[in-house]
Amino acid sequence: MSASKTYDVIVVGAGLAGLCAGLRAAEGGLRVRVIEQSADEAYLCNSRYTGGLFHIAMDDMAGDPPWVVDNVRRSMHGETDEALATTLAANARRTLAWLKQQGVRFIKAGPDGLRQNSLAPPGVRQTGLHWQGRAGDVMLRTLADALRRRGGILTRGVEARELVMENGRCAGLLVREGGVDVRLGAQAVVLADGGFQADMELMKRFISPAPERLLMRNARSGRGAGLRMAETVGAKLVGMDRFYGHIQYRAAMEDERFWPYPVLDSLATAGIVVDGTGSRFCDEGLGGIHVTNAIARLADPLSAWIVFDAAIWNGPGTDWLLPANPYLLSAGGALVSAPTLEALADKTGLPADALTRTVAAYNGAARGEGEARPERTAARYKPWPVEEAPFHAVPVCAGVTYTMGGIATDAKARVLAQDGAPIAGLFAAGATTGGLEGGSRSGYSGGLSKSSVFGLIAGETLVEQLASRAA
């Protein structure tokens, strides 16, 4: 092992959360080093892939804080850490202002709250994956340049291996750099290396019995290294069984034309989603993210189909960003269509008797003539009867963007031990943390807002704790 190098702060991960934490700490006069596992200049991470919509709970994150936190509570169905939710809302507006001060550009990309704060240049809104020179790519380059101007160091090709603990305090990291094991000493470490969606062992442990049959709708860089290191030193993990993602056309498993867009959520939340036995298995009315999680939990996540009719295809099927109608077809996908449900079952290979029973029971519930099993709520998404020929089906898969659960932190981004006390010198921000999102109904607040706000707060907590010591 080579000789130790010492810093005030080491940040693991150079995505949005890590760069916000490192830059804010450097602004406060701390000696900061941000390390990134990839050696590539345009290292891939979810922040670089993002289309760039900064929102909270699918609405304007720059709104009045009491209104914003109410949106969070509603989106989370009350299953959120209240301190994290109120902190997110209270600091969202100033986080956007701070990002603009660093040179990050925003535009209004649409009339709704979701698109009030969109990165510029905007992400390309077409099917397939397009990120070079736009949105998240430009944002990360801008923040990295600002970090260097403030005296911070960003080093690529460095793999974090182990946290160094001394007398109950985090005192640095063991890393692999240039083929050599190196000890990096620090007053504090910030874990900001994203979720664990690309680690099949962790995904099987927490998310799905068959993670290899899920679509990696992400940069495949979130491997849970920070989470594993934190768990090893006694950190508490929370909300590990949920992820943010969308329903995708099954061919996306092999064909990049079909991800990250179009998403098929609007078809699912109007019609029904069945497994290979022709039976419904979740409440479609809770939204596409919840349905995506339910698909992932099936014994075979590639057995699911969305079943709908002509009215749904021509109505809700045209709704949202790059909707299934017409973008699934323009990308090269196809519907399975038939004049009757029996004929549709024959074409899909689903059991005809089971499928017709499922549709009949659902249609009755949609018309108020009984209760659906599983329950089909209507508070967020209206259930449309599946009764207008031609009938359609689409084979689908669960697209995983990032895991919602992770390391438990308090509102100052301090990592918490099993007993709820902060672990001295250890911080975390972004998708590597949990507690804000998820819950039994897969509530979603927004990845960019979570990463930027708590990355900023982590940096400010570090300055508060360490600036006088560094001086």
Side-chain angles (χ1 to χ4, degrees), residues 196 227 238-242 403-407 431-435 437:
F196 58 88
L227 185 148
V238 292
M240 299 294 290
D241 62 343
R242 291 293 188 274
T403 45
M404 292 178 174
I407 302 166
T432 196
T433 66
E437 303 178 288

Side-chain angles (χ1 to χ4, degrees), residues 356-423:
T356 54
R357 284 196 305 270
T358 296
V359 172
Y362 165 80
N363 285 347
R367 290 190 293 263
E369 301 168 358
E371 295 185 2
R373 291 289 182 268
E375 179 185 16
R376 173 57 163 89
T377 55
R380 294 177 62 189
Y381 297 96
K382 169 190 171 183
W384 289 52
V386 181
E387 56 189 5
E388 181 182 321
F391 299 97
H392 305 297
V394 179
V396 297
C397 62
V400 183
T401 305
Y402 69 85
T403 45
M404 292 178 174
I407 302 166
T409 59
D410 65 10
K412 288 183 172 291
R414 298 178 297 184
V415 172
L416 303 180
Q418 294 291 336
D419 62 1
I423 298 176

Side-chain angles (χ1 to χ4, degrees), residues 221-411:
S221 58
R223 305 186 186 106
L227 185 148
R228 288 181 184 274
M229 291 190 297
E231 186 179 29
T232 297
V233 301
K236 181 180 179 181
L237 306 183
V238 292
M240 299 294 290
D241 62 343
R242 291 293 188 274
F243 63 89
Y244 166 66
H246 290 289
I247 307 165
Q248 308 275 172
Y249 190 49
R250 194 179 298 164
M253 293 290 295
E254 305 293 339
D255 192 332
E256 292 189 355
R257 292 179 299 168
F258 300 112
W259 76 270
Y261 298 101
V263 300
L264 308 183
D265 297 25
S266 59
L267 294 176
T269 55
I272 63 173
V273 185
V274 300
D275 60 17
T277 71
S279 302
R280 293 177 57 245
F281 54 88
C282 68
D283 181 353
E284 297 94 342
L286 292 177
I289 298 168
H290 181 75
V291 175
T292 306
N293 275 264
I295 292 171
R297 290 194 296 274
L298 292 173
D300 180 6
L302 292 178
S303 67
W305 292 77
I306 304 175
V307 177
F308 52 101
D309 67 359
I312 293 172
W313 176 247
N314 294 313
T318 65
D319 188 31
W320 212 61
L321 303 174
L322 298 179
N325 183 5
Y327 289 95
L328 174 62
L329 304 185
S330 65
L335 305 181
V336 179
S337 304
T340 67
L341 286 172
E342 291 80 4
L344 187 70
D346 183 62
K347 286 188 173 184
T348 59
L350 295 168
D353 289 348
L355 182 62
T356 54
R357 284 196 305 270
T358 296
V359 172
Y362 165 80
N363 285 347
R367 290 190 293 263
E369 301 168 358
E371 295 185 2
R373 291 289 182 268
E375 179 185 16
R376 173 57 163 89
T377 55
R380 294 177 62 189
Y381 297 96
K382 169 190 171 183
W384 289 52
V386 181
E387 56 189 5
E388 181 182 321
F391 299 97
H392 305 297
V394 179
V396 297
C397 62
V400 183
T401 305
Y402 69 85
T403 45
M404 292 178 174
I407 302 166
T409 59
D410 65 10

Side-chain angles (χ1 to χ4, degrees), residues 14 35-44 48 148 154-159 176-178 221 223:
I35 62 172
E36 167 58 40
Q37 64 184 350
S38 173
D40 295 338
E41 180 181 357
Y43 53 88
L44 295 184
R48 197 175 298 279
R148 295 185 187 100
L154 170 56
T155 312
R156 303 188 305 272
V158 182
E159 180 188 357
R176 185 76 173 172
E177 180 178 5
S221 58
R223 305 186 186 106

